[in-house]
Amino acid sequence: MHKRYTTSQVKQIINASGDIFADNSINILLTDSRRISNPSGAIFFALSGRRNGHEFVAEAYNAGVRDFVLKQQPEGYFPEANLLIVEDVLLALQKLAAYHREQFDLLVIGVTGSNGKTIVKEWLYQLLSADKNIVRNPKSYNSQIGVPLSVWQMNEKNDLGIFEAGVSTVGEMDRLESIIKPQIGVLTHIGSAHDEGFGDRDEKIIEKLKLFKNCRLLVYNYEQMLGYKEEIQPPERFIWSRNFNQADLYVFSEAVIEKNYYLRAMYKGDEIECLIPFKDEASVENAIVCWATMLALGYSAADADDRIERLTPVSMRLELKNGINDCSVIDDSYNSDVQSLEIALNFLSQQNQHQKNTLILSDIYQSGLQEDVLYKQVADLVKAKKVNKFIGIGAALEAHSNLFEVAEKSFYPDTAAFLNEMHAHPFRNQTILLKGSRSFEFEKISRLLVQKAHETVMEINLNALLHNLNFYRSKLNPGVKVMAMVKAFSYGSGTYELANVLQYNKVDYLAVAYADEGVALRQAGITVPLVVLNTEVSAFDKLTEFKLEPVIYSFGLFDEFIKHAQDNNIFNYPVHIKIDTGMHRLGFEDFEIETLCDLLEENPYVRIQSVFSHLVASDTEEHDLFTLKQINAFEKAFTQIEEVLGYKVIKHICNTSGIIRWPAAQYDMVRLGIGLYGIDACIPPAENLLQPIATLKTSISQIKKVLAGDTVGYNRNGSLAKDGRIATVRIGYADGYLRAFGNGVGTMLIKGQLVRTVGNISMDMCMIDVSEVEVKEGDEVIVFSNKHPIEELARQIGTIPYEILTNVSQRVKRVYFYE
């Protein structure tokens, strides 16, 4: 259904130069060479941000793409390509999307704010899709790139658009407004999110209001905009409030009724009501925003109430979990549309730990497309993403089963029918994607496929991992490579789960401590170069069998590896040379370099991939003179080695803190360790430049009343100063919560309040003082998170964040999230 443009039309729209080889028909915008499922009709925008998109032109061309928008002529030979040259590739993408928007005369709602943008957008979609054919952002695609990609989905069948826009600094919203061109504006909650990109809160609010500068109507909260009346430009305004009785929607009564939240309000002189199926404050406010928007659009109070009562939760993240029989399960079972299906299938394609993948998909509702068109799109997508096994659940999928060209496929009318026949599907050693509309209750399938585990869970945010990777990439000098450290179970965060993400995002090397870790990653499908930091003679066979690259740090190890290479007829095997410039842990010292050079000269058995050293105190200003001494010693060593070798090697000495504090020492590559996981000693957590990737949480198993003076726990070490309550939580020293946290040293977060431990930490559980908090059995307890950082736990017991992270036991279930 998408409108098509010729190459020559696109060239004119974006004001590009360059010759046209063939005037192709274009209807797909690409910004990522890894996500090409249909190259015919696609145009690739070589965006330059954290990575230079021009580096991936060859990859896109080899995948079949023939139209490109570039800032300069790419390196290589592309005889059939149309190369459109522009000054600013991102601006060209935005211009094309804005032109496409101009071709359609439909009502568009623009949504922005600090919090709740995506939820409000998705809830408005739920509320309005019964009588509107809606186009909207997939997931939270609200950025300078996400908005144009979202608006590009607009087609002639749509009669309503709902687009959210997010900004991170001044000057961004004007571009997004010109692409979305909303007539109706919706402002969600204004809070502290993204404050760091602005001089102050006022500057952020004024920037966000630019989305509405050409709107005819704005829906907003009276209290939050009291100081900004002059900045609000739309001539019509629909104001809601919980305090101001002259507001268009004045909410004067609020009450909790079982699991719902009951609101009464005044609207046009009448008392109206609304029942919200949520109780938390954020959901209540987002629902009021939607209520106000529906009334502003002319819906009756009764209709709005009826629809809001049937709102369902919005899940914007995929969950990757360990499954039964060595399976991996990707759970995305709460929403289903073609755009989010493609995002989920892209994530499925990143998983290399199993050779087979399976998609379990429900019928897709509210797509606005005829079923034949919709399921042809779905079938083409499934084929393009090379799904090995397809299970369709729902009457519509069953009716269109002939469209699916998959080696193994089966169809069921509903979830119950599949569950009755589930024994016929031997789910073993495969990656399974669950993608279903909420009414199909795929959580029943998830419960049977996911491994049962200890209730204490460590959640790993893969988006935060990518944020941190890209943050450090933005600090690198041009051409500098990245070696990502995934040793020690990726600092306690996982193995192949993180390695898959890093490989997909094109890190240059991964590093592990021991060969066994590298073997496990190779067996899980990781193909990126793998360096083994602590090489052992007994593991040489495994090293060479699995193409692992050893670090050579002593003459004894060097001699043993050369002997292994000779015995096995191995030549030019890649190895890495470690120089000891002051750590005095492993490595060749300065007086050994000349002898090492003699051994390396014309040695046919090894090829030196890199020479490196390790900074001792790169994060500490008081040791900067010693760091400089290390850098000078390293330069002297690698210069000698390269002269003997006769070829250039990769040089690297910077660890996480060195990347920022010592940019002149980045050389050819940096080693990114703890910073990848959201911790850097030279970046204060308050600056919010990094995102902690891990949250460790548990739950309350029992609550007891304890009298003052009564003892608690082993050795009678714990007690309360006055009568109160303690809660027993499901975490102990066997899970990695060390005994040092006992007796009030450690704190945990519950209901937003910090509480202290009471008594000794046991093997499997411990006690916390909940005398001042209203809690019940089963409530969630946060051990560490972005709101209760690992750095604070480390400070409590006089250790370092590394130890806290790597101490979390393997029996603690890891769940991986990707938004």
Side-chain angles (χ1 to χ4, degrees):
M1 301 303 300
H2 197 281
K3 180 178 175 62
R4 291 178 176 268
Y5 299 88
T6 63
T7 307
S8 56
Q9 284 178 310
V10 172
K11 179 182 177 182
Q12 183 177 5
I13 292 165
I14 64 176
N15 193 27
S17 61
D19 297 327
I20 295 177
F21 176 82
D23 210 9
N24 299 321
S25 178
I26 293 167
N27 69 334
I28 298 170
L29 306 185
L30 291 173
T31 61
D32 192 331
S33 61
R34 301 162 300 183
R35 298 181 178 181
I36 299 171
S37 57
N38 186 3
S40 176
I43 183 167
F44 180 78
F45 287 78
L47 298 171
S48 295
R50 302 180 184 101
R51 299 296 297 270
N52 186 349
H54 293 73
E55 297 174 6
F56 307 106
V57 169
E59 186 176 339
Y61 184 84
N62 292 335
V65 177
R66 290 297 178 264
D67 289 276
F68 298 85
V69 179
L70 311 154
K71 187 172 183 178
Q72 60 203 35
Q73 289 289 334
E75 294 182 7
Y77 180 58
F78 309 103
E80 298 177 0
N82 297 317
L83 305 178
L84 306 183
I85 309 300
V86 295
E87 183 65 30
D88 186 329
V89 177
L90 176 59
L91 182 59
L93 172 68
Q94 294 170 339
K95 279 183 178 178
L96 182 57
Y99 180 88
H100 181 68
R101 163 70 180 91
E102 291 278 10
Q103 309 312 302
F104 302 94
D105 182 20
L106 77 165
L107 181 68
V108 172
I109 299 172
V111 182
T112 194
S114 300
N115 307 98
K117 296 185 294 294
T118 301
I119 299 297
V120 167
K121 181 250 309 179
E122 289 297 314
W123 277 354
L124 287 175
Y125 174 77
Q126 289 183 27
L127 294 166
L128 305 178
S129 58
D131 39 39
K132 297 289 184 183
N133 186 314
I134 301 173
V135 57
R136 71 196 196 283
N137 315 65
K139 300 276 187 178
S140 54
Y141 277 37
N142 60 27
S143 66
Q144 296 290 307
I145 298 172
V147 166
L149 294 180
S150 301
V151 170
W152 182 256
Q153 298 176 91
M154 198 176 283
N155 67 57
E156 63 184 21
K157 292 288 186 181
N158 302 131
D159 49 22
L160 176 65
I162 308 175
F163 298 104
E164 60 172 299
V167 291
S168 57
T169 191
V170 174
E172 293 184 340
M173 190 60 88
D174 282 329
R175 283 191 176 192
L176 300 187
E177 191 278 336
S178 70
I179 300 168
I180 298 172
K181 282 190 163 43
Q183 300 100 321
I184 307 292
V186 176
L187 186 65
T188 66
H189 181 80
I190 297 293
S192 60
H194 311 298
D195 276 358
E196 62 273 10
F198 299 88
D200 54 32
R201 184 73 56 84
D202 288 345
E203 189 175 64
K204 181 178 76 170
I205 292 173
I206 291 169
E207 180 69 20
K208 288 183 178 293
L209 287 174
K210 291 178 182 177
L211 178 64
F212 311 127
K213 63 184 181 183
N214 293 308
C215 286
R216 64 171 175 82
L217 170 67
L218 176 61
V219 179
Y220 65 94
N221 173 251
Y222 174 77
E223 284 79 14
Q224 292 218 319
M225 290 293 106
L226 268 176
Y228 303 94
K229 291 182 179 179
E230 293 184 6
E231 286 79 13
I232 297 174
Q233 298 183 39
E236 299 176 41
R237 302 170 187 187
F238 190 100
I239 301 166
W240 67 269
S241 174
R242 289 159 132 169
N243 301 296
F244 179 52
N245 61 12
Q246 297 301 306
D248 297 285
L249 179 67
Y250 167 47
V251 180
F252 66 84
S253 175
E254 306 180 33
V256 175
I257 301 178
E258 294 182 349
K259 295 183 179 180
N260 301 314
Y261 204 83
Y262 178 59
L263 302 175
R264 294 163 63 201
M266 295 302 297
Y267 171 62
K268 291 186 174 179
D270 295 325
E271 185 178 313
I272 63 174
E273 62 183 9
C274 182
L275 195 64
I276 300 170
F278 309 97
K279 294 190 298 182
D280 65 284
E281 175 55 31
S283 295
V284 170
E285 181 170 338
N286 290 334
I288 295 174
V289 173
C290 293
W291 191 18
T293 304
M294 289 193 74
L295 295 173
L297 290 172
Y299 285 84
S300 70
D303 198 8
D305 176 36
D306 179 61
R307 296 191 188 191
I308 288 173
E309 189 175 347
R310 289 181 278 122
L311 282 175
T312 58
V314 176
S315 174
M316 301 308 298
R317 62 188 192 180
L318 309 170
E319 298 182 8
L320 175 62
K321 308 172 182 176
N322 290 325
I324 59 172
N325 304 323
D326 295 319
C327 289
S328 299
V329 178
I330 303 171
D331 194 343
D332 191 21
S333 56
Y334 296 107
N335 62 79
S336 188
D337 55 59
V338 177
Q339 288 77 30
S340 66
L341 174 61
E342 182 170 9
I343 293 168
L345 285 171
N346 282 329
F347 186 69
L348 176 65
S349 69
Q350 294 180 35
Q351 308 307 311
N352 300 287
Q353 60 268 29
H354 308 293
Q355 292 186 344
K356 182 176 182 179
N357 60 52
T358 296
L359 169 62
I360 304 178
L361 178 71
S362 79
D363 283 352
I364 296 174
Y365 296 142
Q366 301 171 333
S367 72
L369 299 174
Q370 294 180 350
E371 284 192 353
D372 288 349
V373 175
L374 170 64
Y375 291 109
K376 179 65 166 64
Q377 284 186 13
V378 172
D380 289 346
L381 193 56
V382 169
K383 181 180 179 181
K385 297 301 181 181
K386 298 178 181 177
V387 172
N388 304 120
K389 181 175 181 176
F390 179 79
I391 297 173
I393 298 179
L397 276 168
E398 197 170 36
H400 294 86
S401 59
N402 62 301
L403 298 175
F404 290 85
E405 301 175 30
V406 184
E408 294 182 59
K409 62 180 181 177
S410 52
F411 296 84
Y412 299 89
D414 52 41
T415 302
F418 168 71
L419 292 173
N420 288 334
E421 297 293 326
M422 192 168 164
H423 63 275
H425 297 275
F427 294 109
R428 185 177 299 279
N429 195 25
Q430 58 190 275
T431 307
I432 305 163
L433 170 60
L434 292 174
K435 184 71 176 158
S437 301
R438 184 171 291 274
S439 61
F440 281 85
E441 298 180 310
F442 270 22
E443 61 268 21
K444 294 178 180 178
I445 303 174
S446 179
R447 281 197 293 268
L448 295 175
L449 289 176
V450 173
Q451 227 175 42
K452 303 299 180 290
H454 187 19
E455 282 198 42
T456 299
V457 172
M458 186 149 88
E459 297 178 349
I460 309 298
N461 185 334
L462 298 179
N463 295 90
L465 180 83
L466 282 180
H467 167 87
N468 297 335
L469 172 64
N470 289 327
F471 168 77
Y472 284 102
R473 275 180 166 161
S474 73
K475 302 298 180 182
L476 297 182
N477 300 322
V480 175
K481 301 177 185 293
V482 174
M483 178 184 289
M485 312 302 284
V486 293
K487 62 180 182 176
F489 194 57
S490 294
Y491 292 59
S493 299
T495 52
Y496 60 78
E497 298 91 351
L498 271 64
N500 276 327
V501 175
L502 295 168
Q503 175 172 275
Y504 185 75
N505 286 277
K506 299 185 183 297
V507 297
D508 301 281
Y509 280 86
L510 294 176
V512 296
Y514 297 102
D516 287 347
E517 295 176 303
V519 170
L521 290 178
R522 284 283 185 252
Q523 290 174 332
I526 299 301
T527 58
V528 71
L530 272 167
V531 174
V532 178
L533 298 171
N534 298 326
T535 309
E536 296 172 312
V537 175
S538 60
F540 284 167
D541 286 334
K542 291 292 185 184
L543 280 171
T544 50
E545 179 185 354
F546 289 92
K547 295 182 172 59
L548 308 176
E549 301 179 13
V551 167
I552 304 297
Y553 50 80
S554 70
F555 291 120
L557 191 62
F558 183 91
D559 292 341
E560 292 287 353
F561 190 79
I562 296 301
K563 183 176 184 301
H564 171 78
Q566 291 171 333
D567 292 346
N568 292 275
N569 202 31
I570 295 171
F571 297 92
N572 289 314
Y573 196 84
V575 302
H576 302 257
I577 300 295
K578 184 165 189 178
I579 307 300
D580 181 0
T581 57
M583 176 72 80
H584 297 320
R585 186 171 61 181
L586 294 175
F588 294 97
E589 297 189 59
D590 56 355
F591 65 87
E592 297 176 308
I593 301 302
E594 188 172 340
T595 304
L596 175 63
C597 288
D598 291 339
L599 295 174
L600 293 177
E601 191 172 12
E602 297 182 4
N603 191 311
Y605 300 104
V606 294
R607 179 172 179 85
I608 310 305
Q609 293 295 102
S610 82
V611 175
F612 73 103
S613 188
H614 195 92
L615 295 177
V616 174
S618 59
D619 60 330
T620 309
E621 187 175 352
E622 66 179 288
H623 297 303
D624 282 354
L625 286 177
F626 188 82
T627 299
L628 281 171
K629 181 180 177 182
Q630 282 193 275
I631 292 169
N632 291 333
F634 177 57
E635 289 191 354
K636 180 182 176 182
F638 73 65
T639 300
Q640 286 180 260
I641 292 171
E642 280 191 330
E643 286 177 358
V644 168
L645 292 175
Y647 56 83
K648 294 291 183 180
V649 298
I650 298 170
K651 283 86 69 178
H652 51 111
I653 192 171
C654 277
N655 52 5
T656 291
S657 294
I659 293 172
I660 293 175
R661 292 202 70 238
W662 298 93
Q666 289 177 4
Y667 296 111
D668 305 307
M669 184 160 68
V670 295
R671 298 188 304 278
L672 182 53
I674 195 73
L676 197 57
Y677 306 94
I679 300 166
D680 188 335
C682 73
I683 301 177
E687 292 186 10
N688 295 319
L689 298 176
L690 298 178
Q691 296 179 6
I693 76 165
T695 296
L696 181 60
K697 57 176 61 174
T698 186
S699 60
I700 295 175
S701 54
Q702 190 175 21
I703 298 171
K704 290 181 179 291
K705 291 182 179 179
V706 176
L707 299 177
D710 282 359
T711 57
V712 177
Y714 282 119
N715 302 117
R716 305 187 65 196
N717 279 347
S719 63
L720 300 183
K722 59 182 181 179
D723 295 354
R725 290 173 297 123
I726 62 165
T728 301
V729 295
R730 298 176 170 95
I731 190 169
Y733 59 76
D735 302 298
Y737 195 65
L738 302 174
R739 293 185 78 246
F741 286 113
N743 301 301
V745 173
T747 56
M748 298 185 190
L749 194 64
I750 182 166
K751 297 292 181 70
Q753 295 187 47
L754 284 176
V755 298
R756 292 199 171 274
T757 58
V758 181
N760 289 348
I761 307 299
S762 303
M763 181 181 289
D764 308 304
M765 61 193 75
C766 63
M767 282 69 79
I768 54 177
D769 181 358
V770 294
S771 302
E772 305 300 323
V773 191
E774 286 299 321
V775 295
K776 61 183 182 301
E777 292 177 3
D779 278 352
E780 182 179 88
V781 180
I782 303 296
V783 182
F784 60 71
S785 68
N786 60 339
K787 294 181 179 178
H788 187 37
I790 292 174
E791 291 93 332
E792 173 59 21
L793 272 71
R795 186 197 61 77
Q796 288 171 355
I797 63 171
T799 187
I800 57 175
Y802 294 78
E803 185 175 7
I804 303 294
L805 262 180
T806 57
N807 240 7
V808 180
S809 167
Q810 294 302 297
R811 81 173 184 179
V812 173
K813 178 182 178 181
R814 268 75 170 173
V815 176
Y816 300 86
F817 294 114
Y818 180 75
E819 294 187 4

